[in-house]
């Protein structure tokens, strides 16, 4: 008779005979509730479409909601790293929440790939920001295209209203610098909070200055508030927005009052309208078709695209890191950081990335499209 083997011993022998299957853990923190929910929701949808395997190695995703709160974002980051053993973290949906995670990422030695836009997340590069990357164009690139359109349209005086946070301040600083360099006078500057329900006093001050144009530096559905108030109060000048409005929720909230608003954004928003020779068009159109097949016609937004592009960037880093170290180790995470930084000529849904030790975004003018809100949709105006 063959003696039976105790179950505990059998499991131990099996574990020894079958080495653990390596997997990469990707942590994700997004604004699924709160004022930035319209940014976080499409990003969460896109997580479901990201690859689950690379080079024979499984990729697992853990998604947490930071409720549009920087404090919660930090808690989520620590939970993802300490409890879920994340090798890399994607997030968050807003600049303030992402900025709150930059230092914790450096201290933990875990790469952070932002789907928020603030340049301060990655610049200037130093010992802290060397662990942070961004799948979204810097403000400078978008402001350049926006100011060029203003100048071509005959705008000479400009008013500004933006969020009273890092997103708004980042845009204000860049607009102030570039507008003045192009001979535009920046006059009245106003701010408001993401949860404010009225901006009437700010709009009245802006209109009293009689600017040729007003730039609204906000994101998600709260960006509709100044747009609607300006139109309702009879403002006749041009209204410019930022890439923070590029989803259908903004159009739904702003309604007819959004008509004619101009902004610079990633080309994916108008993928089908791009010239045939644009290198981004094939990636952007394929991604849009795939996303809208799953989530419905017209559902594509840059906030979904940012997440896809973050996944593409991480994939480039993983190819290099997996050839050197096993996931779940400090050595692997450091190699992943180095791999992200070594990315060259990566065509995403919004541009072409060439990263370096000095530039953790890597986008150039190929990542910019000028768009106008027209008849409840997006109309491509050109690259600049």
């Amino acid at each position: 008779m063959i003696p039976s083997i105790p179950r505990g011993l059998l499991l131990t022998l099996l574990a020894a005979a079958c080495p653990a299957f390596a997997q990469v853990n990707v942590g994700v923190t997004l604004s699924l509730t709160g004022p930035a929910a319209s940014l976080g929701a499409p990003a969460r949808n896109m997580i479901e479409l990201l690859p689950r395997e690379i080079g024979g190695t499984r990729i697992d995703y853990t998604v947490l909601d930071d409720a549009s709160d920087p404090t919660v974002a930090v808690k989520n980051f620590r939970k993802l790293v300490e409890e879920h053993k994340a090798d890399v973290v994607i997030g968050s949906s807003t600049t303030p929440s992402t900025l709150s995670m930059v230092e914790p990422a450096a201290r933990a030695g875990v790469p952070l790939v932002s789907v928020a836009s603030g340049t301060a997340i990655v610049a200037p590069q130093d010992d802290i920001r060397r662990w942070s990357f961004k799948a979204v164009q810097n403000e400078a690139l978008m402001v350049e295209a926006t100011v060029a359109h203003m100048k071509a349209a005959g705008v000479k005086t400009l008013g500004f209203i933006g969020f009273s946070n890092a997103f708004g301040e980042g845009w204000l600083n860049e607009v102030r610098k570039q507008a003045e360099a192009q001979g535009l006078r920046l006059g009245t500057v106003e701010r408001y909070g993401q949860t404010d329900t009225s901006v009437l006093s700010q709009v009245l001050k802006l209109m009293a200055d009689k600017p040729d144009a007003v730039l609204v530096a906000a994101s998600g559905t709260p960006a509709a508030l100044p747009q609607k108030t300006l139109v309702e109060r009879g403002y006749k000048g041009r209204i410019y927005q930022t890439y923070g409005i590029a989803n259908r929720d903004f159009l739904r909230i702003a309604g007819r009052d959004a008509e004619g608003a101009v902004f610079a954004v990633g080309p994916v928003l108008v993928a089908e309208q791009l010239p045939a020779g644009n290198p981004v068009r094939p990636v952007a159109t394929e991604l849009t078709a795939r996303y809208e097949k799953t989530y419905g016609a017209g559902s594509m937004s840059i906030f979904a695209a940012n997440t896809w592009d973050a996944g593409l960037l991480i994939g480039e880093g993983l190819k290099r890191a997996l050839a050197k170290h096993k996931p779940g180790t400090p050595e692997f995470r450091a190699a992943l950081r180095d791999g992200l930084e070594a990315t060259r000529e990566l065509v995403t849904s919004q541009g072409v990335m060439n990263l370096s030790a000095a530039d953790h975004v890597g986008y150039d003018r190929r990542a910019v499209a000028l768009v106008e809100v027209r008849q409840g949709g997006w109309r491509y105006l050109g690259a600049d």
Side-chain angles (χ1 to χ4, degrees):
M1 176 183 287
I2 299 174
S4 62
I5 300 175
R7 184 172 182 274
L9 177 59
L10 178 61
L11 292 175
T12 302
L13 291 172
L14 287 172
C18 302
F21 185 77
Q23 74 176 42
V24 174
N25 292 318
V26 178
V28 185
T29 177
L30 298 168
S31 302
L32 304 180
T33 57
S38 66
L39 284 61
R44 175 66 180 88
N45 289 343
M46 187 60 83
I47 293 294
E48 299 303 317
L49 302 184
L50 292 181
R52 259 52 187 178
E53 178 271 334
I54 184 168
T57 300
R58 175 176 155 187
I59 304 176
D60 276 3
Y61 299 86
T62 301
V63 182
L64 301 178
D65 175 21
D66 60 39
S68 309
D69 186 335
T71 303
V72 178
V74 173
K75 292 178 180 177
N76 284 355
F77 180 89
R78 289 173 178 154
K79 183 174 183 177
L80 290 167
V81 171
E82 295 169 8
E83 297 182 22
H84 297 280
K85 309 303 178 185
D87 294 299
V88 58
V89 172
I90 296 174
S92 178
S93 307
T94 69
T95 295
S97 290
T98 306
L99 283 171
S100 73
M101 297 186 288
V102 169
E103 186 169 344
R107 293 188 182 281
V110 173
L112 173 67
V113 181
S114 174
V115 289
S117 63
T119 303
I121 295 164
V122 294
Q125 274 294 299
D126 53 23
D127 289 342
I128 299 297
R129 291 181 179 86
R130 70 187 299 268
W131 288 91
S132 296
F133 298 81
K134 194 154 66 74
V136 187
Q137 307 90 331
N138 285 338
E139 295 102 332
L141 197 61
M142 313 312 272
V143 170
E144 181 182 358
T146 304
V147 169
H149 186 278
M150 291 177 181
K151 191 169 183 180
V155 172
K156 292 182 172 56
T157 57
L158 178 65
F160 178 97
I161 179 169
F163 280 162
S164 54
N165 62 19
F167 180 90
E169 291 305 304
W171 271 82
L172 176 58
N173 292 338
E174 195 60 46
V175 167
R176 180 176 280 127
K177 179 170 62 177
Q178 293 201 35
E180 291 178 357
Q182 294 299 318
L184 276 66
R185 181 180 72 83
L186 178 60
T188 301
V189 171
E190 295 293 329
R191 299 171 176 84
Y192 73 108
Q194 281 182 285
T195 58
D196 287 356
T197 57
S198 173
V199 290
L200 179 57
S201 64
Q202 294 97 316
V203 163
L204 291 176
K205 292 176 185 176
L206 284 167
M207 292 178 63
D209 200 26
K210 298 181 180 179
D212 297 328
V214 172
L215 173 65
V216 180
S219 60
T221 53
L225 185 58
Q227 178 86 30
K228 291 183 67 66
T229 307
L230 281 162
V231 174
E232 288 167 359
R233 299 303 298 184
Y235 178 67
K236 300 302 182 184
R238 290 181 173 270
I239 301 177
Y240 289 84
Q241 289 269 359
T242 76
Y243 47 15
I245 70 165
N247 67 15
R248 291 284 167 178
D249 283 335
F250 170 83
L251 293 179
R252 175 177 55 82
I253 296 297
R256 294 180 180 177
D257 294 334
E259 191 77 2
V262 173
F263 61 105
V265 68
V268 67
L269 194 68
V270 287
E272 293 289 348
Q273 301 176 52
L274 297 174
N278 189 309
V280 176
R281 181 184 168 115
V283 178
T285 52
E286 181 180 348
L287 178 62
T288 299
R290 184 180 175 193
Y291 185 87
E292 294 190 350
K293 180 180 180 181
T294 303
Y295 298 108
S299 59
M300 187 59 173
S301 78
I302 62 162
F303 308 109
N306 292 342
T307 307
W308 177 260
D309 295 343
L312 290 180
L313 178 58
I314 289 171
E316 290 295 298
L318 287 177
K319 291 174 188 176
R320 297 178 176 92
L322 287 168
K324 299 177 181 179
H325 300 285
K326 291 183 178 180
T329 64
E331 294 79 10
F332 175 77
R333 291 162 185 161
L336 176 53
R337 192 218 74 86
D338 294 345
L340 295 172
E341 191 174 88
T343 298
R344 301 289 186 275
E345 291 300 305
L346 174 64
V347 181
T348 72
S349 71
Q350 299 198 73
V352 181
M353 282 182 154
N354 285 285
L355 280 72
S356 68
D359 183 357
H360 278 196
V361 183
Y363 278 134
D364 56 25
R365 292 298 293 274
R366 291 172 291 184
V368 182
L370 274 170
V371 173
E372 180 183 35
V373 177
R374 182 61 60 192
Q375 296 180 342
W378 317 115
R379 183 167 74 97
Y380 179 56
L381 297 179
D384 52 32

